[in-house]
Amino acid sequence: MGILIEGTKVYEDDETVTYTFFSPGTDRTGQVSITKSDIRSRLSTLDTDLGPAGAKILMKAYKDAAATGTWPDKVLYAA
């Protein structure tokens, strides 16, 4: 069975970005916010306060932002 998580950017300023996320057909929902300068260290740390779904949305958003220079309004994680 695959995983699908959809995220929507709800806030961004020069220092932080916040996404809400949900996984259709499951109870995986939430909101995740991160300081942009900390994202690499927070996503690479094994002992993190980010839940798995939130971490996947932030990682996908970060990869898109690194490639385009802009944090995406919508994020789709599928595996």
Side-chain angles (χ1 to χ4, degrees), residues 30-58:
Q31 183 169 326
V32 63
S33 183
I34 195 159
T35 303
K36 293 175 183 178
S37 62
D38 291 343
I39 193 161
R40 283 179 153 177
S41 64
R42 296 241 352 251
L43 291 176
S44 65
T45 303
L46 293 176
D47 183 27
T48 183
D49 61 341
L50 297 173
K56 286 176 181 14
I57 285 298
L58 282 179

Side-chain angles (χ1 to χ4, degrees), residues 52-79:
K56 286 176 181 14
I57 285 298
L58 282 179
M59 179 56 81
K60 178 69 168 123
Y62 174 69
K63 286 179 180 180
D64 291 353
T68 66
T70 304
W71 287 83
D73 292 332
K74 301 276 185 190
V75 180
L76 182 64
Y77 173 86

Side-chain angles (χ1 to χ4, degrees), residues 4-5 15-16 18 21-22 31 37 45 49 51 55 57 71 78-79:
L4 178 65
I5 306 169
E15 295 179 10
T16 62
T18 303
F21 61 88
F22 74 98
Q31 183 169 326
S37 62
T45 303
D49 61 341
I57 285 298
W71 287 83

